Each structure stands twice: as structure tokens, then as C-alpha cells.
Amino acid sequence: MIGLISATAAGAAARDRLAAARPGRTRVYEGPVRESVERAFAECEQLVCFLATGAVVRLIAPLLADKSADPGVVCVDEGLRYAVSLLGGHGGGANELAAEVADVLGCAPVVTTATDATDVPGLDTLGLPVEGAVAAVSRAILDGEPVALRSDAVWPLPPLPPNVGAEGKAVLRVTDRVVEPGAREAVLRPASLVVGVGASKGAPVDEVLGLIEEALREAGLSPLSIAELATVDAKAAEPGIVAAAERLGVPVVTYAAGELSAIAVPNPSGAPLAAVGTPSVAEAAALAGGGELLVPKRKSSPGGRAAMATCAVVRRAPRGRLAVVGLGPGARDLVTPRATEELRRASVLVGLDQYVDQIRDLLRPGTRVLESGLGAEEERARTAVAEARAGHAVALIGSGDAGVYAMASPALAEASDDIDVVGVPGVTAALAAAAILGAPLGHDHVSISLSDLHTPWEVIERRVRAAAEADIIVTFYNPRSRGRDWQLPKALAILAGHREASTPVGVVRNASRADESSRLTTLAGLDPTTVDMMTVVTVGNTATREIAGRMVTPRGYRWQS
């Protein structure tokens, strides 16, 4: 919850705007400012104070306890010029909150955290628990000092600066093993461990949790690397298991007894078979997602009574991450925030050289760029998948939406289920052109590529004919090139057999780019020689009209008639 505190009428107005923009996430605190700050500080994860920074510093100073527990605090000035991340930039999320508040209120975010200011990811922002000499190693990274990276495996981390590599007196270690960090060593804990758990009805949480902690301690493994607790469906709501997962801060994942019974384990037993229908719960549940069994089944050892809990520990191999990112039609403001986030998260970027040039400034220092020219689509797809399989965080970019005549399909045809895949939608050329023309896609529409380099013309012609007969609006991609000059006239002739010569046709070249051009003509009036590969052509249906110089296809709502 975000607590909102103000002292003036102007502050209250801005406060209310923010509250309206974030319903359910904010709580307004009324009354004396000091009391409001004290209550919000105790009750909320974050605060936005519409007060001077000096006043907020004095108000929160007596309340500060620990950076890992204090809420993030953002200050907004009376003139709504700045949203200042004052406290808890990373741990409290104030840096992100400042940007969010600035976006709502139209002011500028002010972030002074060194890593953010220099575009270097903070060790506490990499998505993994971190311990040890975090400040010392962060300082070494910021100072450009060589920092040794010691990792048990390749994990899909965001890009690290070039000075983080093989050698250095400062050390960044990535491991699930218990290590004693040195004076200049920080340890990132990957979520690599799955703990399978079995429990009798009513097993106490302390017995379940104590067994898990003991098993990890004796195996030299860190509880911070637990990804999940796994068990059989019948134990999904077992209080001891659920409470243990809550204390560890991890989810409970369950499997059907039939699924677990099919998994080969070293220590099957008749007791769970009789109780829940599988000869193994702890080992089988831990192994259900694959991995290496590090700790075979072991039982709790409570004094004076029978054991009520079992556990086993498995280490799963890292899974690389492939984000297929659509960059939109070309304009920077049509690159979505999610696309920008994925570009900055990727340690490896794969793309067409001209697309890489469009977004190179968005990449973090240390991002490895693998670019190639036109005609190398399959090679780029294979490269991106191979890099993800090697454990990296990869972004594969395409123009428009990467799933529309772009890189998503060849990449996903190459990928198997051994990597995680994220799709990031983008604004397609058809949509960008439609917005420029007016509202030509107001009813059913289809996009057809006229390039017969990969698709036989007979197939393309059949699709055009079907769209013509069904009276569907058509947007033509790849309409004409120097080597392919007859396909567009042929496609237009097919449409003309089913639509009037006066049917509106929109022609947009380089939609959203600096040299964008557009014109509205008709099916009879379009000169195909004026069209090239940078153009999309939208042909209306029998209901499409030109209204006030715009191309409009009525939706056909009943109330319109």
C-alpha cells in the first residue's frame, strides 16, 4: 500500500490525482502531518509526501530502523516539478515509484542512487537475494575496478558492466552453496533449489521448517536459493507445509499422485502409497521438474514421537530466457515501456543491424550485441535460441510486432521447452498506418504479404481471393519491390472483381518515421508504381468510406442505423 500525505490545498489536489490513478493501491492520510507520516510509515510499504524534502527528512528521521525494512519514500514539491526518491531507492522501491508518480503527475523523477544515475544495475535489483559486502562490491563496480564474477552456472542475469569479469580483488559470486563471504565479496542466491515435502496430517510448521533447514545446513546449501516447496495435491492445504512456505517466502507447487508415482526415486515407500496414492512424495515432488537430487528423502526427528515430515532437495539447472520484442513501426514513442524494460534486462541482444541502431541507446552497458544484415533471419533465430539455451537473458528484436511477419515464428519454431520465452507485443505497421489514415480497420480485416520469396504465389492469390469474396478489409505488406512488380496489380485486380472502383485505398509509407507520407486514393486510382517495400496498402471493403479526408469503415453497430 502507498500512503499519501499532503499539507496544502495544492498538495491535496495532486494527492487526489495520484489516488484516482492508482485505485486500490493508495491510502490517503488526513489530519496533522506529523501523525499522518508516523501512521503511514508504520502501515505502508511506500509513502508519497507532497511536502518539502527537508520537512520529510525531519519527520521520518526518528522513525528510521533498517534499510531492509523501512518503506520507500518519495517527495513531490508544491509546484509539481519533481518527484524525489528520498528513501529506500532500491529496497523500498522508491526509485521506481518516483518514475511512476512523475508519469501520473507530469513532473520529473529525481533519482540519486549511484547505480541508477550511472545506468548500472544495483546488486539488489538483479532479482536475486544478495548478501555479503554488497556496498563494497557495488562501489568497486561503480568505480570501474575489476570485479571477479564467480558463478556455479550461467544464469539469465541482466547485463553487468564490462569491468565485471574473470579477475579482480572484489568478487561477485552466484551460488546456492553456503559460503563465507570475504570483506569484498557479495553473494547472489539463484533460485535453484526445490524442496520436496511430505507431511502427516497436522504436522507442526516448526517440524516441517526445522527439517528443511537442517537438511539444507548439512548439505551446505542456502535457504535463500529455495525456489519452491513441492508436494502432492492431497497436501496442498496442509497447514504445516503452507506455513513453512510462507516463512521461507516461496510458493507451494503441487502434483497429482499419479504423476508422482511415475517418477523413479531411490527411496519409495508403502506408507505414502497407502495414504495418498504414490510411493514417494518428497523425492518425487522435488524431481518432478527435473534436476539433480542433492538430498535424498529424510525424516524429521522429533523427540518422543514418530516423524511427521519428510523432505528431499533437488537442484534444477538454470533456464535461459528469450524475450521476443516488437519495436513498433519506427517512432521512439511507439516503443512500449515493456519493450524498453526487456531491452534493458537482456544481457544479449540479437537483431537486424538497422533495428539495433534504432534502440542502441536504450541498452545497458555490458549488453552483448549480435547483429546481422538482411536475409539472415533464420541465423538470427538460431543464434537467439542458442544463447538462451546457454543460460543467458536474450532479447530478439523485430520491427512492428515481432510475431507479425517477423522473428517470433522462426525463433519459436527453433526453441524447445528448455528455455523460458516471453513475448512483448509491438505496434504493427498495419495499425500504425491505419491510425494515420483514420479508421479503415473498423470491421473484419486481414493482413496479407505479397512477397512470394517464401510463400508460393498460388497460395497468396488464394488468400487474396478469399478476402475479396468475403468482403474483408485487406492490408498488403511487402506490396512491391524492384524484383516483384506484378504481384500488387494482380492482387488489386482480384479485389476489383468484387468491389467498386471507388473503394477507398490508403497508402502509407514509413509510418511513424521522420519521412512518413500517406495518401488516400481509390481502387481504380492507385498507381502501383508509386508503392515500394516501405509501404503498406490498405484496401477498404464495400462499406468503407472517405469522410472528411479520412478512410473510415463503419463498425455496423445497430444504433448507427
Side-chain angles (χ1 to χ4, degrees):
M1 187 62 68
I2 304 171
L4 306 181
I5 301 104
S6 61
T8 66
R15 174 202 69 192
D16 293 343
R17 282 174 56 194
L18 184 58
R22 297 295 182 269
R25 288 185 55 201
T26 57
R27 179 184 301 160
V28 172
Y29 284 81
E30 304 278 10
V33 170
R34 180 178 296 278
E35 294 177 10
S36 296
V37 170
E38 289 174 353
R39 284 191 292 128
F41 202 90
E43 297 170 357
C44 297
E45 291 81 22
Q46 296 172 320
L47 280 68
V48 178
C49 299
F50 295 86
L51 305 164
T53 54
V56 176
V57 168
R58 291 183 176 86
L59 289 169
I60 66 174
L63 310 175
L64 300 179
D66 184 88
K67 65 180 296 183
S68 64
D70 292 335
V73 178
V74 170
C75 293
V76 179
D77 68 288
E78 186 82 359
L80 301 186
R81 294 172 300 171
Y82 306 109
V84 182
S85 174
L86 184 68
L87 179 72
H90 285 164
N95 291 351
E96 292 183 4
L97 180 59
E100 186 178 341
V101 170
D103 184 57
V104 172
L105 299 180
C107 51
V110 178
V111 175
T112 58
T113 308
T115 51
D116 291 80
T118 56
D119 207 19
V120 173
L123 297 183
D124 54 352
T125 67
L126 297 180
L128 304 179
V130 60
E131 54 188 348
V134 178
V137 175
S138 297
R139 190 176 306 114
I141 294 174
L142 287 168
D143 289 345
E145 176 185 338
V147 176
L149 179 62
R150 302 281 186 263
S151 183
D152 294 343
V154 178
W155 289 88
L157 297 174
L160 297 171
N163 60 309
V164 180
E167 301 298 334
K169 294 181 179 179
V171 178
L172 178 60
R173 193 178 297 277
V174 187
T175 182
D176 58 21
R177 294 177 292 108
V178 172
V179 294
E180 188 63 38
R184 303 192 70 202
E185 182 173 350
V187 183
L188 289 169
R189 297 298 187 185
S192 57
L193 304 178
V194 177
V195 180
V197 182
S200 302
K201 185 176 181 180
V205 60
D206 290 338
E207 183 170 344
V208 176
L209 190 59
L211 173 62
I212 294 171
E213 293 174 340
E214 179 184 43
L216 293 174
R217 184 170 56 252
E218 293 184 5
L221 300 170
S222 172
L224 292 177
S225 282
I226 299 176
E228 61 195 39
L229 300 190
T231 190
V232 67
D233 283 349
K235 296 295 179 180
E238 184 62 44
I241 295 176
V242 172
E246 290 176 350
R247 292 193 193 179
L248 292 167
V250 299
V252 176
V253 176
T254 65
Y255 299 92
E259 186 176 356
L260 296 183
S261 64
I263 298 173
V265 297
N267 300 290
S269 171
L273 179 61
V276 294
T278 172
S280 172
V281 173
E283 287 179 339
L287 287 166
E292 175 190 3
L293 184 62
L294 302 181
V295 180
K297 182 182 75 173
R298 59 188 296 164
K299 298 180 179 180
S300 56
S301 53
R305 62 172 172 80
M308 297 184 71
T310 60
C311 82
V313 182
V314 162
R315 175 186 285 139
R316 287 184 183 168
R319 289 174 62 88
R321 188 175 191 275
L322 173 62
V324 186
V325 181
L327 299 179
R332 174 56 63 85
D333 59 356
L334 291 181
V335 178
T336 67
R338 186 178 299 180
T340 299
E341 181 181 324
E342 287 294 343
L343 295 175
R344 294 175 62 75
R345 189 195 189 288
S347 61
V348 180
L349 180 83
V350 181
L352 179 67
D353 47 14
Q354 57 186 291
Y355 298 155
V356 172
D357 288 341
Q358 292 176 20
I359 48 84
R360 199 182 297 271
D361 62 302
L362 296 178
L363 306 178
R364 286 187 183 275
T367 304
R368 183 157 52 95
V369 178
L370 305 176
E371 53 189 310
S372 53
L374 285 168
E377 286 80 9
E378 292 183 6
E379 176 190 343
R380 283 195 292 276
R382 285 193 295 268
T383 297
V385 172
E387 290 288 340
R389 282 186 177 138
H392 300 294
V394 182
L396 174 62
I397 58 174
S399 67
D401 183 286
V404 179
Y405 303 123
M407 293 305 302
S409 54
L412 299 193
E414 185 77 20
S416 53
D417 63 357
D418 57 347
I419 61 173
D420 295 325
V421 176
V422 177
V424 181
V427 179
T428 67
L431 296 180
I436 294 165
L437 294 169
L441 307 183
H443 214 297
D444 298 334
H445 55 274
V446 64
S447 295
I448 299 177
S449 171
L450 295 183
S451 172
D452 56 359
L453 295 177
H454 300 290
T455 304
W457 173 254
E458 293 77 15
V459 174
I460 297 173
E461 182 173 334
R462 188 165 67 247
R463 292 170 179 171
V464 174
R465 198 171 301 280
E469 293 173 353
D471 196 28
I472 294 176
I473 304 147
V474 182
T475 297
F476 289 123
Y477 279 71
N478 306 313
R480 184 177 179 276
S481 68
R482 282 177 293 184
R484 295 186 301 98
D485 59 0
W486 59 269
Q487 287 90 343
L488 179 59
K490 176 66 173 177
L492 294 174
I494 293 172
L495 292 175
H498 297 268
R499 302 178 193 184
E500 298 292 334
S502 59
T503 300
V505 175
V507 181
V508 180
R509 188 176 189 278
N510 283 332
S512 86
R513 298 174 185 262
D515 55 348
E516 168 191 298
S517 64
S518 66
R519 67 184 187 277
L520 193 57
T521 181
T522 63
L523 193 53
L526 175 61
D527 179 3
T529 64
T530 63
V531 173
D532 62 12
M533 287 288 286
M534 305 304 292
T535 306
V536 291
V537 177
T538 300
V539 182
N541 67 5
T542 55
T544 305
R545 300 287 182 268
E546 179 181 344
I547 301 174
R550 303 180 186 92
M551 186 176 177
V552 179
T553 303
R555 178 65 181 90
Y557 292 111
R558 291 179 179 176
W559 50 260
Q560 288 184 319
S561 60

